[in-house]
């Protein structure tokens, strides 16, 4: 095993960060990163099937070659005495020396070990992966992650999860990286040793920018360990491109200074597909025997329409303006999160798969559960809350009184599309389980449509990204109670802690456990008390657990 990048320098960036690599003061570090040779970023696997697996690595050959060929071996034992599959694959500077290939001929529900071999005989680290099962499946364990902002803390959630030997698959539902320059972070929110951009650097815009940011994140040893230990199904949300992105633009993209949106979007998508163990398919279904079907969706860059503009209604300052927004633009049936092509695919797939698999597990970047701002949160704010924060909460409370949710960038902002999804699940008689992230806090929703149960949602807290607690002066338990009492779909929430979630899936029930790490400002795997919620087959609503 040979990893020739100094991980500490790559993560810390010698106090400059990878974003400084194009600046004069960053040339030395740029040369070091670009000159790194060998297997620089460990291994990863994804896109599991019953007889196949996609394998990933990054290898830079010695010398000035612009292309190289790697061999891959897959074995049924850790010592590679029983090699069962293999292939060769080319890579080059044209794809940032990353490589991925799909190996076939594997057995269902089987653990395998794999490594890559370079032309000089050097080996990559050994990865562990597991194919999907077929037939009657008694149990499947899934880890759920979202929102891993490197400057804000250590990836302790990844480190804790990577030590588990009982997990079948990881699911990352977005914000795997963040595009911001370091100047966007408040000093008390970030860790100086984990800066990825200097204060005067711009956010990610070009293909080189996105590649360097991925290189920084993927150098983190805890994230490497997570990928090395099990396969991951991954989908992007907005920060893999930029904040609140949609097909034709983004809240955090200014064409006047940041260029053409389509060029930036293309660069973000290319870097993601180079650096992640994902296929080129925009969406996909994974069959877990007759136990369930897992869906990887795309809800940002391909089909999402621009969200309705509630800001103008707030600025008008009258209830009449908000009512006109509520009864007009907000209800637009042409608004879509997934795009009509993907909607048709998902609804048809659920209808077919619900007849042969018990659970329909939909991975989604943003939350589906309806969420209104509690009217008493204004008095819960920090005493030093900014005027802008107070105004934002005041606006959301005005919206609550008229039945308008607080999150227009999520499914709440697309009520007609939300209804279509839930109605499709009801027509299919599906046990729908939404798996989502984005908010940085933890939520459990019993979803309703037309007055009837439609499924449940496990929404996972961030790995490091801070949530609503940053604005609150009240105790987190008081904030959580206010949200639960205001929102009929909301069965439980935690509004203050970071970590990840585990789903234990059996034919009769799914038990989800939100695991909270003790700290993100120091590196370690200590956890605090977790929380568990359960949904029984055919109930389509959460039940209380002792």
């Amino acid at each position: 095993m040979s990893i020739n990048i100094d991980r500490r320098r790559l993560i810390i960036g010698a106090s400059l960060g990878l974003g400084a690599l194009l600046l004069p003061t960053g040339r030395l570090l740029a040369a070091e990163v670009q000159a790194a040779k060998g297997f620089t970023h460990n291994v990863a696997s994804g896109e599991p099937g019953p007889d196949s697996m996609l394998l990933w690595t990054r290898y830079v050959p010695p010398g000035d070659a612009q292309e190289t060929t790697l061999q891959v071996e897959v074995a049924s034992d850790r010592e590679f005495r029983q090699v069962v599959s293999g292939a060769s694959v080319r890579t080059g500077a044209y794809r940032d020396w990353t490589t991925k290939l799909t190996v076939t001929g594997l057995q269902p529900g089987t653990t395998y070990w794999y490594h890559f071999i370079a032309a000089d005989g050097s080996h990559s680290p050994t990865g562990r992966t597991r194919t999907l099962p077929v037939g009657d499946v008694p149990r499947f364990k899934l880890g759920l992650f979202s929102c891993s902002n490197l400057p804000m803390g250590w990836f302790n959630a990844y480190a804790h999860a990577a030590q588990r030997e009982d997990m079948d698959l990881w699911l990352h539902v977005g914000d795997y990286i963040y595009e911001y320059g370091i100047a966007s972070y408040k000093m008390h929110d970030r860790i100086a040793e984990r800066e990825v951009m200097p204060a005067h650097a711009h956010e990610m815009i070009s293909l080189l920018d996105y590649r360097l940011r991925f290189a920084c994140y993927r150098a983190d040893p805890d994230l490497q360990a997570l990928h090395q230990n099990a396969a991951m199904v991954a989908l992007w949300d907005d920060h893999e491109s930029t904040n609140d992105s949609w097909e034709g633009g983004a809240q955090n993209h200014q064409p006047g200074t940041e260029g053409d949106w389509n060029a930036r979007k293309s660069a973000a998508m290319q870097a993601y597909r180079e650096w992640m163990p994902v296929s080129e398919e925009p969406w996909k279904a994974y069959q877990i025997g007759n136990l369930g079907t897992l869906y990887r969706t795309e809800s940002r860059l391909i089909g999402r329409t621009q969200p309705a503009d509630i800001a103008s209604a707030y600025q008008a300052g009258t209830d009449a303006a908000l009512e006109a927004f509520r009864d007009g633009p907000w209800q637009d049936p042409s608004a879509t999160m997934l795009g009509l092509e993907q909607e048709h695919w998902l609804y048809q797939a659920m209808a077919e798969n619900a007849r042969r698999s018990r659970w329909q597990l939909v991975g989604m970047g943003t939350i589906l559960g309806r969420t209104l701002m509690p009217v008493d949160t204004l008095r819960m704010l920090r005493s030093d809350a900014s005027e802008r924060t107070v105004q934002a909460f005041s606006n959301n409370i005005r919206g609550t009184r008229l039945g308008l949710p607080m999150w227009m960038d999520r499914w709440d902002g697309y009520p007609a599309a939300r209804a279509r999804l839930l109605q499709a699940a009801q027509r299919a008689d599906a046990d729908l389980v939404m798996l989502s992230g984005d908010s940085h806090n933890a939520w459990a929703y019993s979803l309703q449509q037309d007055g009837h149960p439609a499924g449940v949602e496990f929404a996972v807290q961030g790995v490091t990204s801070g949530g609503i607690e940053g604005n609150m002066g009240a105790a987190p338990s008081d904030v959580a109670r206010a949200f639960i009492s205001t929102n009929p779909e909301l069965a439980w929430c935690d509004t203050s802690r970071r970590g990840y979630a585990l789903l234990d899936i059996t034919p009769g029930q799914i038990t989800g456990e939100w695991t909270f790490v003790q700290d993100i400002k120091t590196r370690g795997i200590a956890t605090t008390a977790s929380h568990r919620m359960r949904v029984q087959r055919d109930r389509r609503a959460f039940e209380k657990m002792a």
Side-chain angles (χ1 to χ4, degrees), residues 30 76 127 267 273 277 344 378 419 448 452 475 481:
S76 57
R273 287 171 172 162
H344 177 74
L378 206 57
Q448 295 270 326
H452 301 287
R481 276 193 293 270

Side-chain angles (χ1 to χ4, degrees), residues 181-201:
I182 202 65
S184 300
Y185 297 87
K186 297 177 182 177
M187 286 296 296
H188 65 269
D189 284 338
R190 71 182 199 240
I191 298 176
E193 295 93 337
R194 287 172 69 79
E195 292 185 0
V196 291
M197 294 276 284
H200 55 279

Side-chain angles (χ1 to χ4, degrees), residues 460-518:
V460 69
Q461 72 273 33
V463 170
T464 59
S465 301
I468 197 171
E469 73 280 355
N471 292 316
M472 310 310 292
S477 57
D478 292 337
V479 177
R481 276 193 293 270
F483 271 97
I484 293 169
S485 64
T486 301
N487 295 283
E489 289 188 343
L490 186 58
W492 168 84
C493 66
D494 179 275
T495 62
S496 66
R497 294 178 289 181
R498 310 281 77 82
Y500 68 108
L502 301 169
L503 277 80
D504 187 357
I505 306 166
T506 67
Q509 66 183 32
I510 296 180
T511 302
E513 181 177 8
W514 287 264
T515 297
F516 301 104
V517 296
Q518 185 170 293

Side-chain angles (χ1 to χ4, degrees), residues 4-6 9-10 18 20-23 26-38 40-41 58-66 93 96-97 208-209 211-212 215 275:
N4 298 321
I5 288 182
D6 183 329
R9 291 207 69 201
L10 188 52
L18 285 171
L21 298 184
L22 300 182
L23 303 176
R27 284 176 181 161
L28 181 61
L29 180 59
E32 178 181 327
V33 173
Q34 293 168 352
K37 303 296 182 180
T40 63
H41 285 80
R58 183 174 188 267
Y59 177 81
V60 183
D64 298 323
Q66 293 299 299
D96 206 15
W97 297 106
L208 179 59
D209 290 336
R211 283 173 166 175
L212 290 173
W275 278 86

Side-chain angles (χ1 to χ4, degrees), residues 325-370:
F325 171 84
R326 180 196 63 196
D327 300 335
W330 184 53
Q331 300 288 347
D332 185 357
S334 69
T336 174
M337 290 275 283
L338 303 176
L340 296 183
E341 180 185 355
Q342 187 182 183
E343 281 193 29
H344 177 74
W345 166 80
L346 179 60
Y347 305 159
Q348 287 293 108
M350 279 200 299
E352 295 171 5
N353 291 324
R355 294 192 293 267
R356 59 178 179 171
S357 60
R358 291 177 174 86
W359 303 99
Q360 304 305 300
L361 308 150
V362 181
M364 190 68 65
T366 54
I367 290 173
L368 194 77
R370 194 148 187 258

Side-chain angles (χ1 to χ4, degrees), residues 113-135:
W113 287 264
Y114 64 94
H115 60 204
F116 291 82
I117 306 171
D120 62 4
S122 60
H123 288 64
S124 74
T126 296
R128 175 183 176 271
T129 195
R130 185 172 178 82
T131 52
L132 294 180
V134 298

